[in-house]
Every structure is written in structure tokens, then in C-alpha cells.
Amino acid sequence: MKRRAFLQAAATTAALLPLSAPRIGHAAETRLLKFIPQADLAILDPIWTTAYVTRNHGFLVFDTLFGIDAQFRPQLQMLESAGAEADGTIWRLRLRDGLKFHDGEPVLARDCVASIQRWGKRDAFGSALLEASDEISAADDRTIVFRLKQPFPLLPDALGKAASNMPAMMPERLAKTDPFTAVTEMVGSGPYRFKTSERVPGSLVVYERFNDYRPRENGTPEWISGPKIAHFDRIEWHVVPDSATAAGALQSGEVDWWEQPSFDLLGLLKGDGNVVVAQIDPTGFPSLARFNHLWPPFDNPAIRQALLGAVSESDEMTAVAGTDTSLWRGDLGYFPPASPMASAAGMEVLRAPRDYEKVKRDLAAAGYKGERVVAMIATDFPVLNAMGVVGADMLKRAGLNVDVQATDWGTVVQRRAKKDSPASGGWSVFFTSFSGLDQFTPAGYIALRGNGDKAWFGWPTAPKLEALRDQWFAAPDLAAQKKICEDIQRQAFIDVPFLPLGLYYQPTAHRSNVTDLLKGLPLFWNVRKT
Amino acid sequence: MGIYFLRRVLATIPVMAVVALFVFSLLYIAPGDPAAVIAGDQASPEQIAHIRASLGLDRPFIVRFGDWLWHIVHGDLGTSIFTNLPVSHMIAQRIEPTLSLMILTLVVSLVIAIPMGVVAAWKQGKWQDRLIMVFAVLGFSTPVFVIGYVLAFVFALQLRWLPVQGFVPIEQGFWPFLRTLILPAFTLGGIYIALIARITRASMLDVLSQDYVRTARAKGLGERPVLFVHALKNAAVPIVTVVGLGVALLIGGAVVTESVFAIPGLGRLTVDAILRRDYPVIQGVVLLFSFVYVLVNLAIDLLYTVFDPRIRY
């Protein structure tokens, strides 16, 4: 090359560089999404844990047979067709053609059968389905057959649930793992592939697009249904434990999306023109004070009923989410308002004016003798801390002899499993919240179970609630389900397995160039970055 | 010297054994249940009991301790209850950020604190001395996380000179690596600078009143050689001692600093493991920290001979 030609070429290249480089960089940037999850993804197996962060990861890596839409109706997802025969006692589910796992193997019916059986041993809704089933088998490579003892009309709902445990379909060799042992090899058939080699537990999780994923060809992307179009080549989850740092990272553009900004930083984020604060989860987080039904004073239903008169949901939710009333609901019964099962049945007791002197009289009449009430409060989660502090104060104002025991969540979850008396290291009440999805219907609503020893912590025995739950599973249609849920709520105000404390809506925050987020969960298909 | 070194290295074995027993016992009696944390909020007590049994957490203390110790002496720190990854692998992933942070903090602290201490001693009672001591008191009394937030607000969010958070490994470039560590190093270094500056000042004041310093000045040596060649070398032994002891301070501070700046280091690994009750990880990290601390103390003892030839082992 001649000197002049070389200089000319160099000058041309130099002139073009500022134009081309940013464009290349920009394109790469729009194909990478950096996300701060609500917590570290310590556990990868969505069947082994009910942790929400693992569920969210599960929807990236695994696909489901059905998926609920924005109206919470199950739609076909991995399936081409599904139908009931023989008065609803036989279901045939036909897989779509061409579905593949991330290891290149085809998705077969026997993989799904093994996955359903493993999931059903851990999930409440799943176990109801297994109990109703005589046999689940693979008729051929693409057909799954359920032979049921009695009709189970909610089968598509169960297999399309968005709540934990999500019904993940995995290869048979993994699904054969004991459900109480974690699967560590992440091979799903979802739109993104988990990058094991890049994982740094507690810090970084990486996914890359699964090029062989076949989205549905029809439907609308809503919640976990419809075509799952992956617009990113790579998704990085950066674990940032400190909320102020997470806010700074979002404001400076170091990350694109922060799943759960803390309530006290919302004002700061809303004031930043490059950040959008949005609500994607319409179901909210119902909060509750859970009683220990084994020991005085809360073994006495009249005492539990009397305390309903002391509940101030607006006080609770103001402490949790602040004075912006768009962030919480204070008129919560036993089902979240977004659920079709929600009703006003029996709500008078929560809607009447709060009268603590009357509550004291009712408690005395119910036989309260000043027994010590051990209230466990988890201080390491701001929401639970606020809920617990206000809740304990509410109990004190009602005249209970409250012994507040503030500790970390890890200690609460250990101690709440103890059935000993409060005097021997047990407990009387603790405070927590669930995703609204978990309380959407009686199917997976563990806090509303009344199956004694086998019930969730607190171990209420409430045979009427259990009987109503059984009726609900057999209900022929939505109207019948709603009617039964009204009865369940009325009965819950009699048995009082827990005190409802209101519901808060957890916002999410993202850069303004991140668009098309789906409602429901932090889902990573459909989302784009411009 | 060689025999002394060997004896000290051998002495670490009973020390580590005591640490191992102490850590294991402490975690055994501490409240918390990893099975409950794993299962999640919605798991039933029955499911939690299943998980506990599958993890072997329902076995007696002596069986679990014996099992753990057996693996330790074979060089196996165990497997994380949560991630199912070997603890040694998790520690190896986290060493680079923590080590980089601690080395940079040490360098920054020594480069700033020793001249500050020397100047404060040299200008004793004057405004320079007072200013430096005010800075030292501030460094002592300001919590690490406050320094971190202020630095991040000014230099990352307002000026946009440095990143708010994160860590870039050195193999991805020295400058990107350094950029992510500057703010954390100054944050963590605050208390360390204050400590070393105060000790340097006190030690220098003691040395500067010695006869040989007066003699050096009398024979016409300039202030710089007097301070930095004659006085500082003789003042070094207490400074080195504090630098060594301060490693424990750095380890403690790294926990907070790594959380504030989202650095995936050993400090955060420890906190996460404690909150989840991931016993094998806690035990592994505490053993590692104890071992490092013992080694640092040994290195300090050996360094004494460099600064003071009168010391012999």
C-alpha cells in the first residue's frame, strides 16, 4: 500500500469511527438487560423452594404446559391441545411439535409426566391434583394422559399457575430427582438458557437466549401465557443488597431494571426523568398476623375473634408503604381484591369503627387472663419490621400482655416451626406477607388451611374450612367457586386462622428506555430496550 | 529464624482446631434453620422436616462435627447447603475482589496516613497537627457506610467519575478494575488511615525526642532525612504492629463496604451465609479469615527484625 493510500484509508476510518462505534455499542447495549432481583438467587430449583426469586428464575429457564393470562384464565402454553373426556375423569394433553430442551433433546410426554409428579409432591395445588389422579402417563411422545378418580376441572389452572411452586417441565432424568433434593443442573425448555459457568452466587446470574425456543404462534403475551418472544441476547441479574446502592445504580444507568425498590426511595426515583416507577403486579402482597393455635391465649377462638376489632389495616399499610394510598389497600378480607374469589362477606367486623375499650371487654369476656403473648418480629426486612412493630402495638393497645421478640427472619422461620409453649421457646404470633397470587384461590392458600398438625405454622384445626376447600375443588364453574369462597371467608372470620393486615402493592423501577414489561411477575420475554 | 518460623506455622494447627470447634459449636447453638429458609415461606412444617433430614441436619452434634472435621483434614470445606457448590469454589470466586480491595485499601492508607502522622508529629501543636487530628477523629467516628454513601453520591452520582457499584476483574483491564475499587478503598480506608496516622504521630513524637535525633539535627541533617530516614524507621515497629492488627478491622469493614458497593467478595459471602444459616460456608470463611489473621501476625513478627535488628528469634 502506498503511503498516500494508507493515510487516506486511515483518515476515512478515523472519520467513520465516531459514527460507527456508538451504533455498534448501542446495538449491543439494547440486546443486554441488567436487572437487580429482589434477592440473591441462592436456590435454582423452583420445586425445591417456594422463594419468589427462584420462581422468577424458573420462568426464564423452564416452560409450563399452561399459563395464566391477564384474566387469570389458563391458556395453552407448551400444549397444542387439551381436553377432558369421560365426564372429566380423563384428560389428554398434546404437546406442541418441535419443543426442545436446552441440551438439544426433544421435550417428550414422559418428561412432563415425571415433572408433574415431582412438582405435585411439593406444591399444594399440585398435591390436590395428584390426590385426584389414579394415573398420569405418556400415551406417546407428545400425549400426556391423566386418569382421575373424580373430575378435577381445575387441572389447567393447576398446571398453569404463576405462583410458587411453578409447574416447571424438565427432562425426565432431572425430574426423577427426589423432590426434597435440589436439582442443580438447569436444563429447561424456556426462552432463556441458564449460564452455569458465569454464575457467582450472591452476585451474578447470567442467562442467554435459547435460539431453539419455539414461541407460540398465536395469542397475546399476558402474564405467563401467549408467545414468549425473547428480545435480549443476554440477561444479567446483579445482586445488589443495599437499596440505596441499587437506586444509585439505576439512576446512573449501570442497571436497567430494579425489581423491588424500597418504598422510602420511590420519591427519589420518581423525580428522575430517566427512571420509570411502575406497578406490574396487580395482586399485591396481602399481609397477616399468624396465631399459634396450640397455646393460650390464641388457642381460644373467641380471643382471636375479639382481636379482629383491633385490626387497623390502614395503620399497618401506612407503616409499610407510606401515605400514598395508591400503594396499598386497607379493606382486605381473606382474599386479595384482584382475585375473583374476593368478596365483602363477613367484612363488617373489619369495617366497623375501631374501639379498643370494646376489644378489651370482649377479650375479658372471652377468658383472656393476661397470658404472655410472644410476638416475633423480623427486623431485617423493612416491610416485615414495620408490619410487626405496628401489629405488636395494636395487640398491646387491645390489652394483651405482649412480649416483643425482635430478631432476624432466619430466626423467625426456625422458631415458628417449634410447637413448644411460648414459655419454653415457642411463640404466639408472627407477622408476614405473601404474594397475592398465593392467596388467589383456596388451592394454594396455605395460611387458610385448617388441617391441624399438617397445617402451616400455627397449626389451626378448622374442619369447616377444610370441607369448604374440598367443595371448592369440585365446583363446576366460577360462580360456584365464588359462592364457596364467600362461605370460606365467613368461616375464616369465625375460625380466625390469622388476622388480615391489609395489602400493599410493590412497585418496580426501570430505565425509561425499557419498554413493554408484562404484568404479573418480573418476566423477561416481550420486554425491549430501545 | 527458620526454626522459629516453622514453630509458629505448626502452632497455627491447634489454633485452627480451637477455632473450628468454637465456630461449629457456636453455629450449632445459634438459632436458625437452613431447611426452613430453603423451603420458603409457604412450605409446610412436614416439608421442612423432610428437607432437614435430606440435608443431614437432624443428626447429633458429635456426628455432624466429626463428619465436618474429617472432611476439613482432607482439605474439603464441604458443600453449600443452598447453592450445592463446593465451599472452596465459592471462596475462590470471592477472593479476588476482597483481596484487591484490602490491598488497595492498605496501599491508600499507608500512602496517606504515614505522611500525615509524620507531619502531625513534626508540627506538633500547630494548625497542621490539629487539622490532621480532626481528620483522624472524623475517620474514627464516621461509620464506614456513611463514608461510602457520601463518596458514591458525590463521585458516582453527581460527578459521574466512577461507578456506583460492582466489581470488574483485573483480567478485563486494569483501569476498569481500578475504577470499581477506588471508592470502596477510600471508604474502607477512612478508619484505617485515622488509626495509622494517630499511631504514627505518637510513635514519631516518642522517637523525635530521642538523643540520636537531636544529634542528627546537630550535625546538620535536613528535616526530611531526619524524619523519614532516621526517625520513621525507628518508629516503624508500633506502626507495623497496628497495621497488622488492623487487618481484622479491614476484614470487618470489608463486610460493610462490599455490601454498600455490591462487591462480590468474601465479606458479602459471609453475611449472606449467616443470614441464611448456610453453615458450611460460614465455617469455611471463618476458618479462612482466622488462618489469614494468624499468617498476618506471623508476617508482622518477622517484619520486626527488618525494622529493628536488635530483635532476634
Side-chain angles (χ1 to χ4, degrees):
Chain A
M1 183 185 275
K2 295 230 168 95
R3 184 173 163 269
R4 183 168 296 175
F6 172 77
L7 288 174
Q8 202 170 9
T12 311
T13 308
L16 287 175
L17 261 179
L19 299 174
S20 57
R23 198 170 296 167
I24 293 165
H26 177 74
E29 277 292 299
T30 57
R31 292 197 300 268
L32 165 68
L33 184 82
K34 292 185 177 178
F35 172 77
I36 301 177
Q38 56 180 275
D40 172 33
L41 180 69
I43 299 168
L44 301 177
D45 182 357
I47 308 301
W48 202 45
T49 182
T50 58
Y52 298 139
V53 69
T54 304
R55 173 201 59 188
N56 299 345
H57 144 85
F59 278 111
L60 273 159
V61 176
F62 301 99
D63 212 348
T64 51
L65 296 176
F66 293 87
I68 56 163
D69 64 14
Q71 278 71 49
F72 310 106
R73 291 174 311 208
Q75 304 292 341
L76 301 176
Q77 184 49 238
M78 289 171 74
L79 298 176
E80 177 182 280
S81 63
E85 305 163 7
D87 294 331
T89 55
I90 294 176
W91 278 82
R92 285 184 197 279
L93 315 181
R94 178 100 175 138
L95 286 169
R96 281 194 280 138
D97 191 23
L99 299 180
K100 276 188 185 173
F101 284 116
H102 297 164
D103 60 3
E105 294 295 316
V107 178
L108 302 176
R110 65 169 183 267
D111 298 311
C112 300
V113 170
S115 300
I116 292 164
Q117 280 168 339
R118 182 166 188 264
W119 162 76
K121 285 175 187 135
R122 293 298 305 271
D123 182 71
F125 207 167
S127 70
L129 175 59
L130 289 198
E131 276 167 30
S133 305
D134 261 337
E135 186 193 23
I136 308 170
S137 60
D140 56 48
D141 280 353
R142 286 176 54 198
T143 310
I144 307 152
V145 179
F146 284 77
R147 292 179 196 285
L148 304 175
K149 293 170 191 157
Q150 69 266 351
F152 194 86
L154 295 170
L155 182 144
D157 299 71
L159 294 172
K161 64 179 285 207
S164 302
N165 305 91
M166 54 97 58
M169 295 299 120
M170 49 182 77
E172 186 184 30
R173 66 188 170 85
L174 299 178
K176 291 259 182 200
T177 309
D178 172 52
F180 293 94
T181 302
V183 166
T184 50
E185 187 186 344
M186 285 294 100
V187 179
S189 63
Y192 285 92
R193 186 202 298 260
F194 181 76
K195 292 274 286 176
T196 306
S197 58
E198 293 193 46
R199 180 190 184 200
V200 181
S203 174
L204 179 68
V205 182
V206 177
Y207 305 90
E208 65 180 13
R209 180 167 40 206
F210 177 45
N211 290 326
D212 284 342
Y213 181 73
R214 293 191 62 181
R216 291 196 70 79
E217 285 167 3
N218 50 22
T220 310
E222 285 179 348
W223 279 69
I224 54 169
S225 68
K228 297 180 177 177
I229 311 290
H231 292 295
F232 299 105
D233 290 342
R234 182 179 166 93
I235 293 172
E236 294 177 357
W237 285 20
H238 292 265
V239 181
V240 180
D242 185 86
S243 52
T245 307
L250 185 66
Q251 286 184 290
S252 66
E254 289 172 32
V255 297
D256 302 303
W257 184 3
W258 180 16
E259 184 187 353
Q260 290 194 352
S262 54
F263 286 101
D264 56 333
L265 292 170
L266 290 180
L268 176 79
L269 295 174
K270 283 177 181 169
D272 188 320
N274 295 313
V275 173
V276 174
V277 175
Q279 264 187 49
I280 58 170
D281 178 6
T283 71
F285 284 80
S287 307
L288 57 93
R290 178 66 162 186
F291 296 125
N292 186 340
H293 293 241
L294 300 182
W295 297 97
F298 299 133
D299 60 339
N300 180 344
I303 288 180
R304 301 196 301 268
Q305 286 161 19
L307 285 173
L308 285 166
V311 173
S312 171
E313 293 185 350
S314 56
D315 285 355
E316 284 283 352
M317 290 301 107
T318 304
V320 166
T323 51
D324 180 353
T325 51
S326 69
L327 294 174
W328 52 267
R329 287 282 297 263
D331 192 30
L332 178 74
Y334 280 91
F335 292 95
S339 163
M341 306 300 145
S343 71
M347 286 291 287
E348 309 76 35
V349 67
L350 290 177
R351 289 175 177 170
R354 305 295 85 182
D355 179 351
Y356 283 92
E357 290 310 312
K358 179 180 180 302
V359 175
K360 284 178 186 171
R361 288 195 300 275
D362 290 346
L363 283 172
Y368 178 62
K369 299 184 189 69
E371 295 95 333
R372 190 169 68 111
V373 169
V374 174
M376 295 194 293
I377 300 176
T379 55
D380 48 343
F381 289 94
V383 163
L384 297 186
N385 184 44
M387 198 186 298
V389 168
V390 175
D393 179 62
M394 173 187 85
L395 298 177
K396 280 181 189 169
R397 287 164 69 193
L400 296 183
N401 170 21
V402 181
D403 174 5
V404 172
Q405 303 207 356
T407 179
D408 69 322
W409 179 244
T411 304
V412 170
V413 296
Q414 183 235 3
R415 192 166 169 188
R416 73 181 181 180
K418 283 187 166 185
K419 289 185 175 176
D420 303 331
S421 72
S424 312
W427 56 279
S428 309
V429 62
F430 71 89
F431 304 85
T432 191
S433 59
F434 284 87
S435 158
L437 277 177
D438 297 326
Q439 302 192 347
F440 231 55
T441 70
Y445 197 157
I446 53 167
L448 205 53
R449 298 292 304 270
N451 48 341
D453 255 7
K454 291 191 172 174
W456 193 57
F457 310 98
W459 310 280
T461 300
K464 285 187 181 166
L465 278 179
E466 285 295 294
L468 285 165
R469 181 176 184 264
D470 290 342
Q471 286 175 31
W472 183 85
F473 277 117
D477 53 34
L478 185 63
Q481 289 174 1
K482 283 181 170 183
K483 173 76 185 60
I484 293 167
C485 282
E486 284 179 17
D487 293 341
I488 287 177
Q489 180 154 294
R490 277 191 206 93
Q491 187 60 39
F493 281 121
I494 295 167
D495 291 324
V496 199
F498 62 84
L499 296 176
L501 298 180
L503 172 145
Y504 65 90
Y505 296 102
Q506 173 63 56
T508 197
H510 56 83
R511 299 286 296 176
S512 52
N513 61 341
V514 176
T515 62
D516 300 320
L517 270 70
L518 289 172
K519 289 282 180 194
L521 316 171
L523 300 169
F524 295 87
W525 53 87
N526 205 49
V527 189
R528 294 167 191 272
K529 205 167 129 187
T530 54
Chain B
M1 178 77 125
I3 292 170
Y4 172 79
F5 178 76
L6 195 66
R7 211 173 59 228
R8 285 288 302 270
V9 169
L10 288 176
T12 59
I13 295 171
V15 171
M16 297 310 295
V18 171
V19 169
L21 179 63
F22 182 72
V23 170
F24 196 92
S25 310
L26 202 65
L27 288 176
Y28 188 80
I29 57 173
D33 179 5
V37 181
I38 286 167
D41 204 18
Q42 299 165 68
S44 68
E46 203 178 3
Q47 290 177 334
I48 292 170
H50 262 105
I51 292 175
R52 196 179 297 123
S54 75
L55 294 171
L57 295 171
D58 54 349
R59 295 175 301 161
F61 172 85
I62 195 72
V63 176
R64 283 171 56 192
F65 181 65
D67 187 36
W68 179 66
L69 208 57
W70 178 253
H71 283 93
I72 291 287
V73 295
H74 286 83
D76 176 9
L77 291 175
T79 304
S80 161
I81 293 173
F82 284 78
T83 63
N84 274 296
L85 294 169
V87 174
S88 50
H89 172 77
M90 292 176 76
I91 288 175
Q93 279 186 320
R94 306 298 192 104
I95 275 186
E96 187 195 340
T98 300
L99 204 62
S100 310
L101 174 62
M102 289 175 72
I103 290 172
L104 190 62
T105 304
L106 203 62
V107 170
V108 164
S109 303
L110 292 176
V111 166
I112 295 174
I114 290 179
M116 276 171 66
V118 171
V119 170
W122 179 39
K123 301 285 182 186
Q124 188 194 6
K126 302 203 171 119
W127 67 268
Q128 294 95 330
D129 180 24
R130 294 209 175 105
L131 188 69
I132 288 168
M133 286 306 104
V134 165
F135 179 81
V137 169
L138 269 178
F140 266 129
S141 48
T142 312
V144 170
F145 71 92
V146 173
I147 300 176
Y149 286 147
V150 171
L151 291 180
F153 179 75
V154 175
F155 295 100
L157 274 176
Q158 297 300 312
L159 299 172
R160 306 271 168 145
W161 289 352
L162 296 163
V164 176
Q165 51 86 45
F167 173 76
V168 175
I170 197 164
E171 63 263 25
Q172 290 181 23
F174 184 70
W175 175 235
F177 161 79
L178 197 62
R179 279 184 84 224
T180 55
L181 285 177
I182 291 174
L183 292 181
F186 276 91
T187 301
L188 183 55
I191 189 167
Y192 209 47
I193 290 169
L195 180 70
I196 297 172
R198 282 191 74 100
I199 292 296
T200 305
R201 178 181 179 273
S203 188
M204 284 291 288
L205 283 176
D206 186 39
V207 170
L208 287 174
S209 64
Q210 299 290 319
D211 289 344
Y212 62 84
V213 172
R214 200 176 308 118
T215 307
R217 281 177 175 149
K219 73 177 184 183
L221 268 183
E223 275 304 293
R224 192 173 295 172
V226 167
L227 288 172
F228 287 98
V229 178
H230 290 272
L232 186 57
K233 192 177 177 192
N234 285 291
V237 170
I239 298 170
V240 169
T241 307
V242 165
V243 169
L245 291 174
V247 169
L249 207 65
L250 281 187
I251 292 171
V255 172
V256 179
T257 310
E258 287 175 4
S259 293
V260 168
F261 289 98
I263 295 171
L266 289 169
R268 264 182 64 198
L269 180 67
T270 314
V271 173
D272 290 345
I274 290 171
L275 288 174
R276 289 189 198 120
R277 312 296 195 266
D278 197 345
Y279 299 138
V281 176
I282 303 171
Q283 288 153 357
V285 175
V286 172
L287 273 186
L288 175 75
F289 281 148
S290 311
F291 186 61
V292 168
Y293 198 57
V294 168
L295 285 188
V296 167
N297 274 292
L298 176 59
I300 297 300
D301 285 351
L302 296 178
L303 266 181
Y304 287 162
T305 61
V306 175
F307 292 110
D308 190 346
R310 291 169 300 178
I311 298 174
R312 290 270 185 275
Y313 295 118

